[in-house]
Coordinates of all heavy atoms in Angstrom, one line a residue:
M1 N -9.8 -5.3 -25.4 CA -8.6 -6.1 -25.2 C -8.9 -7.5 -25.8 O -9.9 -8.1 -25.5 CB -8.4 -6.2 -23.7 CG -7.0 -6.7 -23.4 SD -6.7 -7.1 -21.7 CE -6.0 -5.7 -21.0
G2 N -8.0 -7.9 -26.7 CA -8.1 -9.2 -27.3 C -7.7 -10.3 -26.4 O -7.2 -10.1 -25.3
F3 N -7.9 -11.5 -26.9 CA -7.5 -12.7 -26.1 C -6.0 -12.7 -25.8 O -5.6 -13.0 -24.7 CB -7.9 -14.0 -26.8 CG -7.5 -15.2 -26.1 CD1 -8.1 -15.6 -24.9 CD2 -6.5 -16.0 -26.6 CE1 -7.7 -16.8 -24.3 CE2 -6.1 -17.1 -26.0 CZ -6.7 -17.5 -24.8
L4 N -5.2 -12.4 -26.8 CA -3.8 -12.4 -26.7 C -3.3 -11.4 -25.6 O -2.4 -11.6 -24.8 CB -3.1 -12.2 -28.0 CG -2.0 -13.1 -28.3 CD1 -2.4 -14.6 -28.4 CD2 -1.3 -12.7 -29.6
D5 N -3.9 -10.2 -25.7 CA -3.5 -9.1 -24.8 C -3.8 -9.5 -23.4 O -3.1 -9.3 -22.5 CB -4.3 -7.8 -25.2 CG -3.7 -7.2 -26.5 OD1 -2.6 -7.5 -26.8 OD2 -4.5 -6.6 -27.2
S6 N -5.0 -10.1 -23.2 CA -5.4 -10.5 -21.8 C -4.5 -11.6 -21.3 O -4.2 -11.7 -20.1 CB -6.8 -10.8 -21.7 OG -7.2 -11.8 -22.7
M7 N -4.0 -12.5 -22.2 CA -3.1 -13.5 -21.8 C -1.7 -12.9 -21.4 O -1.2 -13.2 -20.4 CB -2.8 -14.5 -23.0 CG -3.8 -15.6 -23.2 SD -4.0 -16.6 -21.7 CE -2.5 -17.5 -21.8
K8 N -1.3 -11.9 -22.2 CA -0.1 -11.2 -21.9 C -0.1 -10.5 -20.6 O 0.8 -10.6 -19.8 CB 0.2 -10.2 -23.0 CG 1.3 -10.6 -24.0 CD 1.6 -9.5 -25.0 CE 1.4 -9.9 -26.4 NZ 1.2 -8.7 -27.3
S9 N -1.2 -9.8 -20.3 CA -1.2 -9.1 -19.1 C -1.3 -10.0 -17.9 O -0.9 -9.7 -16.8 CB -2.4 -8.1 -19.1 OG -3.6 -8.8 -19.0
L10 N -1.9 -11.2 -18.2 CA -1.9 -12.2 -17.1 C -0.5 -12.7 -16.8 O -0.2 -13.0 -15.6 CB -2.8 -13.4 -17.6 CG -3.5 -14.2 -16.6 CD1 -4.6 -13.4 -15.9 CD2 -4.2 -15.5 -17.2
L11 N 0.3 -12.9 -17.9 CA 1.6 -13.5 -17.7 C 2.6 -12.4 -17.1 O 3.4 -12.8 -16.2 CB 2.2 -14.0 -19.0 CG 1.4 -15.2 -19.6 CD1 1.9 -15.5 -21.0 CD2 1.7 -16.4 -18.7
S12 N 2.5 -11.2 -17.6 CA 3.4 -10.2 -17.0 C 3.0 -9.8 -15.6 O 3.8 -9.3 -14.8 CB 3.4 -9.0 -18.0 OG 2.1 -8.4 -18.1
G13 N 1.7 -9.9 -15.3 CA 1.2 -9.7 -14.0 C 0.9 -8.2 -13.7 O 1.8 -7.4 -13.8
G14 N -0.3 -7.9 -13.4 CA -0.6 -6.6 -13.0 C -0.4 -6.5 -11.5 O 0.2 -7.4 -10.9
E15 N -1.0 -5.5 -10.9 CA -0.8 -5.3 -9.4 C -1.4 -6.5 -8.7 O -0.9 -6.9 -7.7 CB -1.5 -4.0 -9.0 CG -0.7 -2.8 -9.3 CD -1.3 -1.5 -8.8 OE1 -2.2 -1.6 -8.0 OE2 -0.8 -0.5 -9.2
G16 N -2.5 -7.0 -9.2 CA -3.1 -8.2 -8.6 C -2.3 -9.4 -8.6 O -2.4 -10.3 -7.7
Q17 N -1.3 -9.5 -9.5 CA -0.5 -10.7 -9.6 C 0.8 -10.5 -8.9 O 1.7 -11.4 -8.9 CB -0.2 -11.0 -11.1 CG -1.5 -11.2 -11.9 CD -2.1 -12.5 -11.6 OE1 -1.5 -13.5 -11.4 NE2 -3.5 -12.5 -11.4
D18 N 1.1 -9.3 -8.4 CA 2.3 -9.0 -7.7 C 2.4 -9.7 -6.4 O 1.8 -9.2 -5.4 CB 2.4 -7.5 -7.6 CG 3.8 -7.0 -7.1 OD1 4.6 -7.9 -6.7 OD2 4.0 -5.8 -7.1
K19 N 3.1 -10.8 -6.3 CA 3.1 -11.6 -5.1 C 3.9 -10.9 -3.9 O 3.5 -11.1 -2.8 CB 3.6 -13.0 -5.3 CG 2.7 -13.8 -6.2 CD 2.3 -15.1 -5.6 CE 1.1 -15.7 -6.2 NZ 1.3 -16.0 -7.6
T20 N 4.9 -10.2 -4.3 CA 5.7 -9.6 -3.2 C 5.3 -8.2 -2.9 O 5.7 -7.6 -1.8 CB 7.2 -9.6 -3.5 OG1 7.4 -8.9 -4.8 CG2 7.8 -11.0 -3.7
G21 N 4.5 -7.6 -3.7 CA 4.1 -6.2 -3.5 C 2.7 -6.1 -2.8 O 1.8 -6.9 -3.2
Y22 N 2.6 -5.2 -1.9 CA 1.4 -5.0 -1.2 C 1.1 -3.5 -1.3 O 1.9 -2.7 -0.8 CB 1.5 -5.5 0.3 CG 0.2 -5.5 1.1 CD1 -0.6 -6.6 1.1 CD2 -0.1 -4.4 1.8 CE1 -1.7 -6.6 1.8 CE2 -1.3 -4.4 2.5 CZ -2.1 -5.5 2.5 OH -3.3 -5.5 3.3
Y23 N 0.0 -3.1 -1.9 CA -0.2 -1.7 -2.1 C -1.1 -1.1 -1.1 O -2.1 -1.7 -0.6 CB -0.8 -1.5 -3.5 CG 0.2 -1.8 -4.6 CD1 0.4 -3.1 -5.1 CD2 1.0 -0.7 -5.1 CE1 1.4 -3.3 -6.0 CE2 1.9 -1.0 -6.1 CZ 2.1 -2.2 -6.5 OH 3.1 -2.5 -7.5
V24 N -0.7 0.1 -0.6 CA -1.5 0.8 0.4 C -1.9 2.1 -0.2 O -1.1 2.8 -0.8 CB -0.6 1.0 1.6 CG1 -1.3 1.8 2.7 CG2 -0.1 -0.3 2.2
Y25 N -3.1 2.5 0.0 CA -3.6 3.7 -0.6 C -4.1 4.6 0.6 O -4.9 4.1 1.4 CB -4.8 3.4 -1.5 CG -4.4 2.5 -2.6 CD1 -4.6 1.1 -2.5 CD2 -3.9 3.0 -3.8 CE1 -4.2 0.2 -3.5 CE2 -3.5 2.1 -4.8 CZ -3.7 0.7 -4.7 OH -3.3 -0.1 -5.7
V26 N -3.7 5.8 0.6 CA -4.1 6.7 1.7 C -4.5 8.1 1.2 O -4.2 8.4 0.0 CB -3.0 6.9 2.8 CG1 -2.5 5.6 3.3 CG2 -1.9 7.7 2.2
R27 N -5.2 8.8 2.0 CA -5.5 10.2 1.6 C -5.0 11.1 2.7 O -5.2 10.9 3.9 CB -7.0 10.4 1.5 CG -7.4 11.7 0.9 CD -8.9 11.9 0.9 NE -9.7 10.9 0.2 CZ -9.8 10.8 -1.1 NH1 -9.2 11.7 -1.9 NH2 -10.5 9.9 -1.6
C28 N -4.2 12.1 2.3 CA -3.6 13.0 3.3 C -4.6 13.9 3.9 O -5.5 14.4 3.3 CB -2.6 13.9 2.5 SG -1.9 15.2 3.4
H29 N -4.5 13.9 5.3 CA -5.5 14.7 6.0 C -5.5 16.2 5.7 O -6.5 16.9 5.7 CB -5.3 14.6 7.5 CG -6.2 13.6 8.2 ND1 -6.1 13.3 9.5 CD2 -7.2 12.8 7.6 CE1 -7.0 12.4 9.8 NE2 -7.7 12.1 8.7
R30 N -4.3 16.7 5.4 CA -4.1 18.1 5.2 C -4.6 18.6 3.9 O -5.3 19.6 3.8 CB -2.6 18.5 5.4 CG -2.3 19.9 5.5 CD -1.1 20.2 6.4 NE -0.7 21.6 6.1 CZ 0.3 21.9 5.4 NH1 1.1 21.0 4.9 NH2 0.6 23.2 5.2
C31 N -4.1 18.0 2.8 CA -4.5 18.5 1.5 C -5.4 17.6 0.7 O -5.9 18.0 -0.4 CB -3.2 18.7 0.6 SG -2.4 17.1 0.2
G32 N -5.7 16.4 1.2 CA -6.6 15.5 0.6 C -6.1 14.7 -0.6 O -6.8 14.0 -1.3
E33 N -4.8 14.9 -0.8 CA -4.2 14.1 -1.9 C -4.2 12.6 -1.7 O -3.9 12.2 -0.6 CB -2.7 14.6 -2.1 CG -2.0 13.8 -3.3 CD -0.6 14.2 -3.5 OE1 -0.1 15.2 -2.8 OE2 0.1 13.6 -4.3
A34 N -4.5 11.9 -2.7 CA -4.4 10.4 -2.7 C -3.0 10.0 -3.0 O -2.4 10.4 -3.9 CB -5.4 9.8 -3.6
I35 N -2.5 9.1 -2.1 CA -1.1 8.7 -2.2 C -1.1 7.1 -2.2 O -1.8 6.5 -1.4 CB -0.2 9.2 -1.1 CG1 -0.4 10.7 -0.9 CG2 1.3 8.9 -1.4 CD1 0.2 11.3 0.4
K36 N -0.2 6.6 -3.0 CA -0.1 5.1 -3.0 C 1.3 4.7 -2.7 O 2.3 5.4 -3.1 CB -0.6 4.6 -4.3 CG 0.2 3.5 -5.0 CD -0.5 3.0 -6.3 CE 0.6 2.7 -7.3 NZ 0.0 2.0 -8.5
T37 N 1.5 3.6 -2.0 CA 2.9 3.1 -1.8 C 2.9 1.6 -1.9 O 1.8 1.0 -1.7 CB 3.4 3.5 -0.4 OG1 4.8 3.2 -0.3 CG2 2.7 2.8 0.7
R38 N 4.0 1.1 -2.3 CA 4.1 -0.4 -2.4 C 5.0 -0.9 -1.3 O 6.1 -0.4 -1.0 CB 4.8 -0.7 -3.8 CG 5.0 -2.2 -4.0 CD 5.7 -2.4 -5.4 NE 5.8 -3.8 -5.7 CZ 6.8 -4.5 -5.3 NH1 7.7 -4.0 -4.5 NH2 6.9 -5.8 -5.7
I39 N 4.5 -1.9 -0.6 CA 5.3 -2.6 0.4 C 5.8 -3.9 -0.2 O 5.1 -4.6 -0.8 CB 4.4 -2.8 1.7 CG1 4.2 -1.4 2.3 CG2 5.1 -3.8 2.6 CD1 3.1 -1.5 3.4
N40 N 7.1 -4.1 0.0 CA 7.7 -5.3 -0.5 C 7.6 -6.4 0.6 O 8.2 -6.2 1.7 CB 9.2 -5.1 -0.8 CG 9.8 -6.3 -1.4 OD1 9.6 -7.5 -1.0 ND2 10.5 -6.2 -2.5
M41 N 6.7 -7.4 0.4 CA 6.4 -8.3 1.5 C 7.6 -9.2 1.8 O 7.7 -9.8 2.9 CB 5.3 -9.2 1.0 CG 4.0 -8.5 0.8 SD 3.3 -7.8 2.4 CE 2.7 -9.3 3.2
R42 N 8.6 -9.2 1.0 CA 9.8 -10.0 1.3 C 10.8 -9.2 2.1 O 11.5 -9.7 3.0 CB 10.5 -10.4 0.0 CG 9.7 -11.5 -0.7 CD 10.7 -12.6 -1.3 NE 9.8 -13.6 -1.9 CZ 9.8 -13.7 -3.3 NH1 10.5 -13.0 -4.0 NH2 9.0 -14.6 -3.8
N43 N 11.0 -7.9 1.7 CA 12.1 -7.1 2.3 C 11.7 -6.1 3.4 O 12.5 -5.7 4.2 CB 12.8 -6.4 1.2 CG 13.5 -7.3 0.2 OD1 13.9 -8.4 0.6 ND2 13.5 -7.0 -1.0
D44 N 10.4 -5.6 3.3 CA 10.1 -4.5 4.1 C 9.5 -4.9 5.5 O 9.5 -4.0 6.4 CB 9.0 -3.6 3.4 CG 9.6 -2.9 2.2 OD1 10.8 -2.9 2.0 OD2 8.8 -2.3 1.5
L45 N 9.2 -6.1 5.7 CA 8.5 -6.5 6.9 C 9.6 -6.9 8.0 O 10.6 -7.5 7.7 CB 7.6 -7.8 6.6 CG 6.2 -7.5 6.3 CD1 6.0 -6.6 5.1 CD2 5.5 -8.8 6.0
S46 N 9.3 -6.5 9.2 CA 10.1 -6.8 10.3 C 9.4 -7.9 11.1 O 8.2 -7.8 11.4 CB 10.4 -5.6 11.2 OG 10.7 -4.5 10.5
H47 N 10.1 -9.0 11.4 CA 9.6 -10.1 12.2 C 9.5 -9.7 13.7 O 10.5 -9.1 14.2 CB 10.4 -11.3 12.0 CG 9.6 -12.5 12.5 ND1 10.1 -13.4 13.5 CD2 8.4 -13.1 12.1 CE1 9.3 -14.3 13.7 NE2 8.2 -14.2 12.9
L48 N 8.4 -10.0 14.3 CA 8.3 -9.6 15.7 C 8.6 -10.8 16.6 O 8.3 -11.9 16.3 CB 6.9 -9.1 16.0 CG 6.4 -7.9 15.3 CD1 4.9 -7.7 15.4 CD2 7.1 -6.7 15.7
E49 N 9.2 -10.5 17.8 CA 9.5 -11.6 18.7 C 8.3 -12.4 19.1 O 8.4 -13.6 19.3 CB 10.2 -11.0 20.0 CG 11.7 -11.0 19.9 CD 12.3 -10.4 21.1 OE1 11.9 -10.7 22.2 OE2 13.2 -9.5 21.0
E50 N 7.2 -11.7 19.3 CA 6.0 -12.3 19.7 C 5.2 -13.0 18.6 O 4.2 -13.6 18.8 CB 5.1 -11.3 20.5 CG 4.6 -10.2 19.6 CD 5.5 -8.9 19.7 OE1 6.7 -9.1 19.9 OE2 4.9 -7.8 19.6
G51 N 5.8 -12.9 17.4 CA 5.2 -13.6 16.2 C 4.6 -12.5 15.3 O 4.1 -11.5 15.8
G52 N 4.5 -12.8 14.1 CA 3.9 -11.9 13.1 C 5.0 -10.9 12.6 O 6.1 -11.0 12.9
Y53 N 4.5 -10.0 11.8 CA 5.3 -9.0 11.1 C 4.7 -7.6 11.2 O 3.5 -7.5 11.4 CB 5.5 -9.4 9.6 CG 6.1 -10.7 9.4 CD1 5.3 -11.8 9.4 CD2 7.5 -10.8 9.1 CE1 5.9 -13.1 9.1 CE2 8.1 -12.0 8.9 CZ 7.3 -13.2 8.9 OH 7.8 -14.4 8.6
T54 N 5.6 -6.6 11.1 CA 5.1 -5.3 11.1 C 5.9 -4.5 10.1 O 7.0 -4.8 9.8 CB 5.2 -4.6 12.5 OG1 4.5 -3.4 12.5 CG2 6.6 -4.4 12.9
V55 N 5.3 -3.4 9.6 CA 6.0 -2.6 8.6 C 5.5 -1.1 8.9 O 4.3 -0.9 9.1 CB 5.8 -3.0 7.2 CG1 4.3 -3.0 6.8 CG2 6.6 -2.1 6.2
N56 N 6.4 -0.2 8.9 CA 6.1 1.2 9.0 C 6.5 1.9 7.7 O 7.5 1.7 7.2 CB 6.9 1.8 10.2 CG 6.5 1.3 11.5 OD1 5.4 1.6 12.0 ND2 7.4 0.5 12.1
K57 N 5.6 2.8 7.3 CA 5.9 3.5 6.1 C 5.5 5.0 6.3 O 4.5 5.3 7.0 CB 5.0 3.0 4.9 CG 5.6 1.8 4.3 CD 6.5 2.2 3.1 CE 7.1 0.9 2.5 NZ 8.0 1.2 1.4
T58 N 6.3 5.9 5.8 CA 5.9 7.3 5.8 C 5.6 7.7 4.4 O 6.5 7.5 3.5 CB 7.1 8.1 6.4 OG1 7.3 7.6 7.7 CG2 6.7 9.6 6.5
L59 N 4.5 8.3 4.1 CA 4.1 8.7 2.8 C 4.0 10.2 2.7 O 3.4 10.8 3.6 CB 2.7 8.1 2.4 CG 2.6 6.6 2.0 CD1 2.9 5.7 3.2 CD2 1.2 6.3 1.5
V60 N 4.6 10.7 1.7 CA 4.6 12.1 1.4 C 4.0 12.3 0.0 O 4.5 11.7 -0.9 CB 5.9 12.8 1.6 CG1 5.8 14.3 1.4 CG2 6.5 12.5 3.0
G61 N 3.1 13.2 -0.1 CA 2.5 13.4 -1.4 C 3.4 14.2 -2.4 O 4.5 14.7 -2.0
S62 N 3.0 14.2 -3.7 CA 3.9 14.8 -4.6 C 3.5 16.3 -4.8 O 4.2 17.0 -5.5 CB 3.8 14.1 -6.0 OG 2.4 14.1 -6.3
Q63 N 2.5 16.7 -4.2 CA 2.0 18.1 -4.4 C 2.7 19.0 -3.3 O 3.6 18.5 -2.6 CB 0.5 18.2 -4.3 CG -0.1 17.5 -5.5 CD -1.6 17.3 -5.4 OE1 -2.2 17.8 -4.5 NE2 -2.2 16.5 -6.3
R64 N 2.3 20.3 -3.3 CA 3.0 21.2 -2.4 C 2.5 21.1 -0.9 O 2.1 22.0 -0.3 CB 2.7 22.6 -2.8 CG 3.6 23.0 -4.0 CD 3.1 24.3 -4.6 NE 1.8 23.9 -5.3 CZ 1.0 24.8 -5.8 NH1 1.2 26.1 -5.7 NH2 -0.2 24.4 -6.4
C65 N 2.6 19.9 -0.4 CA 2.2 19.6 0.9 C 3.3 18.6 1.5 O 3.6 17.6 0.9 CB 0.8 19.0 1.0 SG 0.4 18.2 2.5
F66 N 3.8 19.0 2.6 CA 4.9 18.2 3.2 C 4.4 17.4 4.4 O 5.2 16.9 5.2 CB 6.1 19.0 3.5 CG 6.6 19.7 2.3 CD1 6.3 21.0 2.0 CD2 7.4 19.0 1.4 CE1 6.8 21.6 0.8 CE2 7.9 19.6 0.2 CZ 7.6 20.9 0.0
E67 N 3.1 17.2 4.5 CA 2.6 16.4 5.6 C 3.1 15.0 5.4 O 3.1 14.4 4.3 CB 1.1 16.4 5.6 CG 0.4 15.8 6.8 CD 0.6 16.7 8.0 OE1 1.6 16.7 8.6 OE2 -0.4 17.4 8.4
R68 N 3.5 14.4 6.5 CA 4.0 13.0 6.5 C 2.9 12.1 7.1 O 2.5 12.2 8.2 CB 5.2 12.9 7.3 CG 6.4 13.7 6.8 CD 7.4 14.0 7.8 NE 8.2 12.8 8.2 CZ 9.2 12.4 7.5 NH1 9.7 13.0 6.5 NH2 9.9 11.3 7.8
V69 N 2.4 11.3 6.2 CA 1.3 10.3 6.6 C 2.0 9.0 7.1 O 2.7 8.4 6.3 CB 0.3 10.0 5.5 CG1 -0.8 9.1 5.9 CG2 -0.3 11.3 5.0
E70 N 1.9 8.7 8.3 CA 2.5 7.5 8.9 C 1.6 6.3 8.9 O 0.5 6.4 9.4 CB 3.0 7.8 10.3 CG 3.6 9.1 10.6 CD 5.2 9.0 10.4 OE1 5.7 7.9 10.2 OE2 5.8 10.1 10.5
V71 N 2.0 5.2 8.3 CA 1.2 4.0 8.2 C 2.0 2.9 9.0 O 3.2 2.8 8.8 CB 1.0 3.7 6.8 CG1 0.4 2.3 6.6 CG2 0.1 4.7 6.1
R72 N 1.2 2.1 9.7 CA 1.8 0.9 10.3 C 0.8 -0.2 10.1 O -0.3 -0.2 10.4 CB 2.0 1.1 11.8 CG 2.7 -0.2 12.3 CD 3.4 0.0 13.6 NE 2.4 -0.1 14.7 CZ 2.6 0.3 15.9 NH1 3.7 0.9 16.3 NH2 1.6 0.2 16.8
L73 N 1.4 -1.3 9.5 CA 0.6 -2.5 9.2 C 1.1 -3.6 10.0 O 2.3 -3.8 10.1 CB 0.6 -2.8 7.7 CG 0.2 -1.7 6.7 CD1 0.4 -2.2 5.3 CD2 -1.2 -1.3 6.9
S74 N 0.2 -4.5 10.4 CA 0.6 -5.7 11.2 C 0.1 -6.9 10.4 O -1.0 -6.9 9.9 CB 0.0 -5.7 12.5 OG 0.3 -4.5 13.2
F75 N 1.0 -7.9 10.4 CA 0.6 -9.2 9.7 C 0.9 -10.3 10.6 O 1.7 -10.2 11.5 CB 1.5 -9.3 8.5 CG 1.4 -8.2 7.4 CD1 2.2 -7.1 7.6 CD2 0.5 -8.3 6.4 CE1 2.1 -6.0 6.7 CE2 0.4 -7.3 5.5 CZ 1.2 -6.1 5.6
D76 N 0.1 -11.4 10.4 CA 0.4 -12.6 11.2 C 1.5 -13.4 10.5 O 2.1 -13.0 9.6 CB -0.9 -13.4 11.3 CG -1.4 -14.0 10.0 OD1 -0.6 -14.0 9.0 OD2 -2.5 -14.5 10.0
E77 N 1.8 -14.6 11.1 CA 2.9 -15.4 10.6 C 2.8 -15.8 9.1 O 3.7 -16.1 8.4 CB 3.0 -16.7 11.4 CG 3.6 -16.5 12.8 CD 5.1 -16.1 12.8 OE1 5.8 -16.6 11.9 OE2 5.6 -15.3 13.6
N78 N 1.5 -15.8 8.6 CA 1.3 -16.2 7.2 C 1.3 -14.9 6.3 O 0.9 -15.0 5.2 CB 0.0 -16.9 7.1 CG 0.0 -18.2 7.9 OD1 1.0 -18.9 7.9 ND2 -1.1 -18.4 8.6
R79 N 1.7 -13.8 6.9 CA 1.8 -12.5 6.2 C 0.4 -12.1 5.7 O 0.2 -11.5 4.6 CB 2.7 -12.6 5.0 CG 4.2 -12.7 5.4 CD 5.1 -13.1 4.3 NE 6.4 -13.6 4.9 CZ 7.5 -13.0 4.9 NH1 7.6 -11.8 4.4 NH2 8.6 -13.5 5.4
K80 N -0.6 -12.4 6.5 CA -1.9 -11.9 6.2 C -2.1 -10.7 7.1 O -1.8 -10.8 8.3 CB -2.9 -13.1 6.6 CG -4.4 -12.7 6.4 CD -5.2 -14.0 6.7 CE -6.7 -13.7 6.8 NZ -7.0 -12.9 8.0
Q81 N -2.7 -9.7 6.5 CA -2.8 -8.4 7.3 C -3.8 -8.6 8.4 O -4.9 -9.1 8.2 CB -3.2 -7.3 6.4 CG -3.1 -5.9 7.1 CD -3.6 -4.8 6.3 OE1 -3.6 -4.8 5.1 NE2 -4.1 -3.8 7.0
V82 N -3.5 -8.2 9.6 CA -4.4 -8.3 10.8 C -4.7 -7.0 11.4 O -5.7 -6.8 12.1 CB -3.8 -9.3 11.8 CG1 -3.8 -10.7 11.3 CG2 -2.4 -8.9 12.3
D83 N -3.9 -5.9 11.1 CA -4.2 -4.7 11.7 C -3.6 -3.5 10.9 O -2.6 -3.8 10.2 CB -3.6 -4.6 13.2 CG -4.2 -3.5 14.0 OD1 -5.3 -3.0 13.6 OD2 -3.7 -3.2 15.0
Q84 N -4.1 -2.3 11.0 CA -3.5 -1.2 10.3 C -3.8 0.1 11.1 O -4.9 0.2 11.7 CB -4.1 -1.1 8.9 CG -5.6 -0.9 8.8 CD -6.1 -0.9 7.4 OE1 -5.4 -1.3 6.5 NE2 -7.3 -0.3 7.2
E85 N -2.8 0.9 11.2 CA -2.9 2.2 11.8 C -2.4 3.3 10.9 O -1.5 3.1 10.1 CB -2.1 2.2 13.1 CG -2.6 1.3 14.2 CD -1.6 1.2 15.3 OE1 -1.2 2.3 15.9 OE2 -1.1 0.1 15.6
I86 N -3.0 4.5 11.1 CA -2.6 5.6 10.3 C -2.6 6.9 11.1 O -3.5 7.1 11.9 CB -3.4 5.7 9.0 CG1 -2.8 6.7 8.0 CG2 -4.9 6.0 9.3 CD1 -3.4 6.6 6.6
V87 N -1.7 7.7 10.8 CA -1.6 9.0 11.5 C -1.6 10.1 10.4 O -0.8 10.0 9.4 CB -0.3 9.2 12.4 CG1 -0.3 10.5 13.1 CG2 -0.3 8.0 13.4
R88 N -2.4 11.2 10.6 CA -2.5 12.3 9.6 C -3.0 11.9 8.2 O -2.7 12.5 7.2 CB -1.1 13.0 9.5 CG -0.6 13.6 10.8 CD 0.6 14.4 10.6 NE 1.8 13.6 10.4 CZ 2.5 13.1 11.3 NH1 2.3 13.4 12.6 NH2 3.5 12.3 11.1
G89 N -3.8 10.8 8.2 CA -4.4 10.5 6.9 C -5.5 9.4 7.1 O -5.8 9.0 8.3
D90 N -6.1 9.0 6.0 CA -7.1 8.0 6.1 C -6.7 6.9 5.0 O -6.2 7.2 4.0 CB -8.5 8.5 5.7 CG -9.1 9.4 6.8 OD1 -9.1 8.9 7.9 OD2 -9.5 10.5 6.5
F91 N -7.1 5.7 5.4 CA -6.9 4.6 4.4 C -8.1 4.7 3.4 O -9.2 5.0 3.7 CB -7.0 3.2 5.0 CG -5.8 2.9 5.8 CD1 -5.8 2.9 7.2 CD2 -4.6 2.6 5.2 CE1 -4.6 2.6 7.9 CE2 -3.4 2.3 5.9 CZ -3.5 2.3 7.3
I92 N -7.7 4.5 2.1 CA -8.8 4.5 1.1 C -8.6 3.2 0.2 O -7.5 2.6 0.3 CB -8.7 5.8 0.1 CG1 -7.3 5.9 -0.5 CG2 -9.1 7.0 0.9 CD1 -7.2 7.0 -1.6
T93 N -9.6 2.9 -0.6 CA -9.5 1.7 -1.4 C -8.7 2.1 -2.7 O -8.6 3.3 -3.1 CB -10.9 1.2 -1.8 OG1 -11.5 2.2 -2.5 CG2 -11.6 0.9 -0.5
R94 N -8.3 1.1 -3.5 CA -7.7 1.3 -4.8 C -8.7 2.0 -5.7 O -8.3 2.9 -6.5 CB -7.3 0.0 -5.4 CG -6.4 0.2 -6.6 CD -5.9 -1.1 -7.2 NE -6.9 -1.7 -8.0 CZ -6.8 -2.8 -8.7 NH1 -5.7 -3.5 -8.5 NH2 -7.7 -3.3 -9.4
E95 N -9.9 1.7 -5.6 CA -10.9 2.4 -6.5 C -11.0 3.9 -6.1 O -11.1 4.7 -7.0 CB -12.3 1.7 -6.3 CG -12.5 0.3 -6.9 CD -11.8 -0.7 -6.1 OE1 -11.5 -0.6 -4.9 OE2 -11.4 -1.8 -6.7
E96 N -11.0 4.2 -4.9 CA -11.0 5.6 -4.5 C -9.7 6.3 -4.9 O -9.8 7.5 -5.3 CB -11.2 5.7 -2.9 CG -12.5 5.4 -2.4 CD -12.6 5.3 -0.9 OE1 -11.8 4.6 -0.3 OE2 -13.5 6.0 -0.4
F97 N -8.6 5.6 -4.8 CA -7.4 6.2 -5.3 C -7.4 6.5 -6.8 O -7.0 7.6 -7.2 CB -6.2 5.2 -5.0 CG -4.9 5.7 -5.5 CD1 -4.1 6.6 -4.8 CD2 -4.4 5.3 -6.7 CE1 -2.9 7.1 -5.3 CE2 -3.2 5.8 -7.2 CZ -2.4 6.7 -6.5
E98 N -7.9 5.5 -7.6 CA -7.9 5.7 -9.0 C -8.9 6.8 -9.4 O -8.7 7.6 -10.3 CB -8.3 4.4 -9.7 CG -7.0 3.5 -9.7 CD -7.3 2.1 -10.1 OE1 -8.5 1.7 -10.3 OE2 -6.4 1.3 -10.2
A99 N -10.0 6.9 -8.7 CA -11.0 7.9 -8.9 C -10.4 9.3 -8.6 O -10.6 10.3 -9.4 CB -12.2 7.7 -8.1
A100 N -9.6 9.4 -7.6 CA -8.9 10.7 -7.2 C -7.9 11.1 -8.3 O -7.7 12.2 -8.6 CB -8.3 10.6 -5.8
E101 N -7.2 10.1 -8.8 CA -6.1 10.3 -9.8 C -6.7 10.8 -11.1 O -6.1 11.6 -11.8 CB -5.4 9.0 -10.0 CG -4.1 8.9 -9.3 CD -3.1 8.1 -10.0 OE1 -3.5 7.1 -10.7 OE2 -1.9 8.4 -9.9
N102 N -7.9 10.3 -11.4 CA -8.5 10.6 -12.7 C -9.4 11.9 -12.7 O -9.9 12.3 -13.7 CB -9.3 9.5 -13.2 CG -8.4 8.3 -13.5 OD1 -7.3 8.4 -13.9 ND2 -8.9 7.1 -13.3
S103 N -9.5 12.5 -11.5 CA -10.3 13.6 -11.4 C -9.6 14.9 -11.7 O -8.4 15.0 -11.6 CB -11.0 13.7 -10.0 OG -10.0 14.0 -9.0
Ligands
ZN1 ZN1 -0.9 16.5 1.9

């Protein structure tokens, strides 16, 4: 990648530059598929009466498995993640997700 290209990708913004997007990577318990979802930090979060935010997401893989992986994330008032729960799946890192996609 040349200097200009890296400038361009810096300006257009990759996932790391996506300020409103928060990516979650999971692995389905049933079939092992790696699934990713994007949470919109502006629109998807619900404000809690006791303070902070929460978001619920249901992830379904693209393969022949209809297991629904339920994810719940909790954030504080500054939208910093403080807790995460998952049902029927496991949280994985972006590296693990990319490794699974390329295998
Ligand atoms: Zn599955």
